[in-house]
Amino acid sequence: AARILLDQAQGALTRRIGELAELDERGARAGLEELLERSIAIAPALQAPRVVLAGPANSGKSTLFNALVGSERAITSGEPGTTRDVVFGCASLGGIEYELIDTAGVREVEDDGGDEAVEREGQLAACALREGACVVFWLERADDPPAEIPAGCELLLSHADQVIDPPPGAISALHDPRGAREELAQRLAASAPSWVPNEPVLFNPELLAWGGDLLSGSAGLLCIRLRERLMGEAAH
């Protein structure tokens, strides 16, 4: 992140905006699309991506969460429904800092009142957080029958010691926390960003939003707004 930001401070982004401002509308649009695509790919190095742990009750989410953050942040128990709220933490996996969220387990809640109401609210909050996550790991017990997982989630099988022959990739965060960390780091490595020296990057959410707005705007205004941006930076 420091290297990327130092490149921008030394003018990588300003130079690229200046080059795009000199192109015609078609060339500027193609160049901005490339810049935006690169910036989105590199964003996890600059802002911690959100990883949500979701799935049925008692599938090992909280145990995995504790293993990843390195402390007993979430209460674990054999009693279903122990986690009724969302729990936030941070973990470094494969050299990238991630924001981790442990969520309430998915299960049928019969009563509208009392503790069940609290658990239902926790499940609704979990659904909302899944929508905005970079990655959602859906935990299922390796000894349960195969289940259909929600769209956009990645299946992650967990097992206890009584599972004689766990399938490849299944984790046991309680008895092998290091192995669980390594498995998730490997699964997340495919989306890890790579740094290329001196490349321009829209390096914060405001710049990313600005680039997106330019691409969605009417034809003919793109180069004008690029020049305006360039003049604004020169004024500073």
Side-chain angles (χ1 to χ4, degrees):
R3 288 167 172 169
I4 293 165
L5 293 174
L6 184 60
D7 283 343
Q8 312 319 306
Q10 292 175 344
L13 180 58
T14 301
R15 284 192 297 272
R16 185 54 179 155
I17 291 175
E19 292 167 357
L20 295 178
E22 296 301 318
L23 300 175
D24 59 21
E25 200 270 340
R26 183 176 179 179
R29 181 171 294 276
L32 185 58
E33 286 175 350
E34 180 186 359
L35 175 60
L36 192 61
E37 183 178 343
R38 182 190 311 119
S39 301
I40 292 171
I42 207 71
L46 302 171
Q47 185 174 6
R50 173 170 289 181
V51 175
V52 171
L53 305 179
N58 273 23
S59 58
K61 298 182 299 298
S62 296
T63 303
L64 175 60
F65 178 87
N66 289 338
L68 295 174
V69 301
S71 63
E72 297 297 315
R73 294 285 304 279
I75 298 173
T76 59
S77 169
E79 181 71 23
T82 303
T83 302
R84 294 176 179 173
D85 203 348
V86 293
V87 184
F88 292 80
C90 293
S92 179
L93 299 167
I96 299 293
E97 188 82 4
Y98 291 93
E99 180 188 41
L100 298 176
I101 303 179
D102 181 27
T103 62
V106 176
R107 66 169 184 157
E108 291 293 330
V109 180
E110 298 178 358
D111 195 348
D112 287 334
D115 291 342
E116 287 77 11
V118 175
E119 187 174 347
R120 180 176 288 103
E121 288 299 317
Q123 292 187 13
L124 291 174
C127 289
L129 287 167
R130 295 206 306 264
E131 292 296 322
C134 177
V135 179
V136 179
F137 286 113
W138 186 269
L139 271 71
E140 291 275 356
R141 291 173 59 95
D143 52 351
D144 285 345
E148 184 176 350
I149 67 172
C153 298
E154 291 192 24
L155 179 62
L156 182 61
L157 295 177
S158 64
H159 70 90
D161 284 353
Q162 61 263 31
V163 178
I164 299 173
D165 188 20
I171 62 168
S172 177
L174 179 62
H175 298 288
D176 185 16
R178 177 177 293 182
R181 288 181 62 90
E182 291 175 353
E183 175 65 23
L184 260 73
Q186 184 176 352
R187 296 276 293 269
L188 291 166
S191 59
S194 59
W195 167 68
V196 178
N198 301 316
E199 278 200 342
V201 171
L202 301 169
F203 53 87
N204 61 37
E206 291 76 18
L207 283 170
L208 282 170
W210 171 78
D213 288 344
L214 257 65
L215 288 177
S216 63
S218 60
L221 293 178
L222 183 61
C223 292
I224 295 174
R225 293 188 63 187
L226 284 166
R227 293 188 188 101
E228 289 174 349
R229 179 84 199 188
L230 190 62
M231 291 174 63
E233 290 188 6
H236 288 297

